[in-house]
Amino acid sequence: MKNYELILKEHSLKVTPQRLGMLSIIDYVGHITIEELFANIRKDFCSISIATLYKNINSMVEVKILKEIKISNSKSKYEILKNEHSHMVCKKCEKLEDLNLCLDITIENASKKSGYIFDENALVLFGICPECQR
Ligand SMILES: [Zn+2]
Ligand SMILES: [Zn+2]
């Protein structure tokens, strides 16, 4: 796990136990919805409200510690912002995973091909995962 205290400081955000708790949960599970995070964090911070959670998530998205993954017809998930990657979602069990194939689908390649200057990869591929195919 990374040093989130330092990361918060580097992004000029106040270091709070709640924020550190949120980041360690997200780091552990990879991708999480606000509701899942809320259920999880209440085990350690029973008095935290969902409004506080939203506020903290939004400020950490703003400074690019977290990234929101928008999924059509489903709730957004959040992850720790890291190197660029796409996502894949299973339509049956609804799990979401990172997709790091050497596809053409990186901002760099897409920019080269199209002449656009892209700054966000929000690509999500939908399908059926290997477990659900069995
Ligand atoms: Zn599945
Ligand atoms: Zn991801």
Side-chain angles (χ1 to χ4, degrees):
M1 202 179 98
K2 293 182 211 155
N3 184 343
Y4 287 115
E5 206 171 318
L6 196 74
I7 291 172
L8 285 168
K9 280 183 189 154
E10 278 171 0
H11 291 82
S12 312
L13 284 184
K14 222 174 99 187
V15 178
T16 65
Q18 285 91 341
R19 281 182 180 157
L20 292 176
M22 290 164 64
L23 287 167
S24 77
I25 293 170
I26 301 172
D27 188 297
Y28 182 72
V29 297
H31 309 88
I32 200 165
T33 63
I34 296 245
E35 287 73 16
E36 288 163 351
L37 181 62
F38 187 57
N40 248 290
I41 193 124
R42 284 190 37 136
K43 292 174 195 159
D44 292 317
F45 303 95
C46 52
S47 62
I48 195 169
S49 71
I50 191 121
T52 306
L53 199 68
Y54 265 106
K55 248 177 49 197
N56 278 308
I57 288 271
N58 284 335
S59 49
M60 290 195 281
V61 168
E62 234 165 71
V63 299
K64 295 188 166 27
I65 294 176
L66 295 179
K67 178 181 160 73
E68 177 183 2
I69 307 153
K70 297 189 184 94
I71 309 161
S72 52
N73 300 321
S74 188
K75 290 187 173 117
S76 285
K77 290 198 175 186
Y78 295 84
E79 69 181 343
I80 311 278
L81 188 75
K82 49 184 180 187
N83 57 322
E84 186 201 339
H85 59 279
S86 305
H87 289 100
M88 49 193 175
V89 172
C90 175
K91 288 194 278 190
K92 262 196 168 154
C93 65
E94 293 188 335
K95 91 172 144 218
L96 178 148
E97 292 181 286
D98 288 343
L99 180 64
N100 266 322
L101 302 175
C102 293
L103 293 176
D104 246 2
I105 316 165
T106 63
I107 286 181
E108 212 189 333
N109 286 337
S111 299
K112 263 186 218 151
K113 278 195 175 168
S114 66
Y116 278 58
I117 300 168
F118 294 115
D119 59 11
E120 189 189 352
N121 177 350
L123 183 78
V124 182
L125 300 183
F126 292 89
I128 308 292
C129 76
E131 287 77 44
C132 291
Q133 288 169 35
R134 281 187 208 130

